[in-house]
Amino acid sequence: MTAPGVDDAVQEKPHEERLAERRLHPITPLRRAWAPVAVVIGWAVHDPDQAQRQLTRLTTTTLLLALAVIVPAAALYGFLTWWFTHFAVTDTELRIRTGLLFRRTAHIRLERIQAVDVTQPLLARVAGVAKLRLDVVGTDKKDELAFLGEREARALRAELLARAAGFAPETAHEVGEAPARELLRTPPRDLALSLVLTGATWLSLVAALVVPSLLWWATHSLWTVLATAVPLLGAAGASSVGRFVTEYDWTVGESPDGLRIDHGLLDRTHETVPPGRVQTVRIVQPLLWRRRDWVRVELDVAGSSNSVLVPVAPREVAEAVVARVLPGVVVPPPSALSRPPRRAGRCVPLWWRGHGLAVTDAVFASRRGLLRRSLALVPHAKVQSVRLTQGPWERLWRVADVQVDTGANKTVTARLRDAQEAAVLLGAQAERSRTGRKGARPDRWMV
């Protein structure tokens, strides 16, 4: 959980550290106490036959004695892990100390923090506590502090953002959470209707009904049917009910520290899209959404797991939100996108019509998809490299692909362009990227 590039030799005065160190919320041991119980459950699932034999050998007295040992042991484990976990915010970093026998200290540099999110699972909402999750440059998963009091979590989030923005430590506590102005709120009715009009929802549901039925007809094996039906039903539920629960009451607000996103029916999540870190914006429109002119906006953010900006909204509203996350960018209309030459149909029959390209002063815009359209917008300043690729069949028909790589380790491709056009585009895009980075906005918070 340590951020790369941190000098572990940096130390504060011991007395100052002790004064600054804080503990998590006292309810945290209840969360950590489940670990020993989870080990027992995992063993039982891994070897159910052996677990059943051992369980039948136990008498009532032995079972009660076992519970009398396991429950206090789990409670003690939860208490000790909580007691020996501390965190402190210094002038330059967030330090998290954990471990009873083996001590571990995570040093998270404040300037490397990209997003600070507050999440509240259902039980945490009941208890009035929250998780603080941090996106840090160079780490694959989020660091977190779980749990803190809800007010303490929001205050700590504001303090971390203030210090990351360069405020002095003595004034960071006074900055508080920046005010937000609401830009968009997704009505539950629109969200539910959009899921009904999404082809993936129906495909997963049909697969969950048809595949187990065919297996039963072919094998008459109940276990085979259950082993197939349960994952398929889970996938169908995740693509419909799961998305509705997650994206319920989706709200986007604008504040000095970025765009704030609040959502969730059971588990509430408070996320922030960090300024200057957005590498790519994708405007997605499934086939059945076109009549209502609805779109979905997705993001690629460097070092962050934030991937959705707008779950569903009218195109005009969504493009207005895109203009806030990419200042100065105007989404090219469909009429501004140039198609590949007709001979590209020899390489990709019919589907070549779904590809398009537009290059403006601000972005490299590439569209793909005939039924489910996806328009990717890459600011020139975020392009890390440009490549031209051409297979043997493409060389025969004088077409080529131009690929741009972003800082989020993602690639956007302009497919099946005329070979001469692609060669010109390659050099021009490299030059636009160099000049774009010179005038790019800073990535720091509140700057």
Side-chain angles (χ1 to χ4, degrees), residues 292-370:
R292 296 176 176 270
D293 201 24
W294 284 350
V295 296
R296 175 181 177 90
V297 182
E298 301 175 349
L299 301 174
D300 291 336
V301 183
S304 174
S305 61
N306 291 325
S307 61
V308 179
L309 179 61
V310 178
V312 58
R315 182 181 293 274
E316 291 184 0
V317 176
E319 290 182 356
V321 177
V322 171
R324 306 309 301 171
V325 76
L326 296 179
V329 172
V330 177
V331 179
S335 59
L337 299 170
S338 62
R339 282 183 177 177
R342 295 188 65 86
R343 61 180 181 275
R346 305 293 180 90
C347 300
V348 182
L350 184 61
W351 298 101
W352 70 274
R353 296 177 177 272
H355 296 287
L357 174 67
V359 181
T360 69
D361 294 337
V363 294
F364 178 95
S366 176
R367 187 186 69 188
R368 63 180 178 86
L370 193 59

Side-chain angles (χ1 to χ4, degrees), residues 95-127:
R95 298 181 183 177
I96 305 175
R97 303 178 185 272
T98 58
L100 173 59
L101 300 178
F102 301 96
R103 300 291 289 168
R104 181 185 181 191
T105 303
H107 299 255
I108 303 174
R109 302 289 296 185
L110 296 180
E111 68 269 16
R112 299 180 71 86
I113 294 177
Q114 297 189 110
V116 185
D117 304 331
V118 177
T119 63
Q120 284 187 287
L122 179 60
L123 295 179
R125 292 172 64 185
V126 175

Side-chain angles (χ1 to χ4, degrees), residues 10-195:
V10 178
Q11 295 183 357
E12 302 284 333
K13 294 181 180 180
H15 178 65
E16 292 178 351
E17 281 195 5
R18 282 195 295 270
L19 290 177
E21 283 186 346
R22 289 179 269 178
R23 282 198 177 93
L24 302 176
H25 194 276
I27 202 174
T28 304
L30 297 178
R31 168 182 178 255
R32 300 184 182 275
W34 281 99
V37 179
V39 171
V40 176
I41 295 175
W43 167 74
V45 172
H46 177 71
D47 193 354
D49 295 335
Q50 180 67 18
Q52 185 177 5
R53 285 195 296 268
Q54 293 294 337
L55 187 62
T56 55
R57 294 177 184 176
L58 295 177
T59 63
T60 303
T61 303
T62 306
L63 185 60
L64 291 176
L65 289 175
L67 291 176
V69 173
I70 292 175
V71 172
L76 180 62
Y77 170 80
F79 174 79
L80 291 177
T81 54
W82 168 76
W83 182 261
F84 286 97
T85 299
H86 304 82
F87 69 95
V89 183
T90 70
D91 293 351
T92 58
E93 63 188 18
L94 169 65
R95 298 181 183 177
I96 305 175
R97 303 178 185 272
T98 58
L100 173 59
L101 300 178
F102 301 96
R103 300 291 289 168
R104 181 185 181 191
T105 303
H107 299 255
I108 303 174
R109 302 289 296 185
L110 296 180
E111 68 269 16
R112 299 180 71 86
I113 294 177
Q114 297 189 110
V116 185
D117 304 331
V118 177
T119 63
Q120 284 187 287
L122 179 60
L123 295 179
R125 292 172 64 185
V126 175
V129 296
K131 291 182 183 180
L132 201 68
R133 306 182 68 190
L134 303 99
D135 270 331
V136 182
V137 176
T139 58
D140 295 330
K141 64 178 182 178
K142 291 186 177 183
D143 298 299
E144 68 176 27
L145 291 172
F147 288 97
L148 299 170
E150 184 177 355
R151 290 185 178 180
E152 183 183 6
R154 293 185 178 273
L156 180 57
R157 176 189 180 277
E159 179 184 354
L160 292 175
L161 296 183
R163 294 202 184 187
F167 285 89
E170 57 271 13
T171 60
H173 294 281
E174 303 173 1
V175 173
E177 191 170 27
R181 178 175 65 90
E182 184 175 306
L183 298 178
L184 173 146
R185 183 182 293 271
T186 302
R189 179 179 176 276
D190 289 356
L191 179 60
L193 184 57
S194 71
L195 294 175

Side-chain angles (χ1 to χ4, degrees), residues 363-399:
V363 294
F364 178 95
S366 176
R367 187 186 69 188
R368 63 180 178 86
L370 193 59
L371 300 180
R372 185 178 185 269
R373 296 173 179 170
S374 177
L375 177 65
L377 307 174
V378 184
H380 297 312
K382 302 304 180 182
V383 175
Q384 302 294 312
S385 62
V386 189
R387 301 192 307 276
L388 186 148
T389 61
Q390 189 180 45
W393 193 248
E394 291 178 323
R395 284 199 299 271
L396 178 63
W397 296 105
R398 304 186 309 281
V399 294

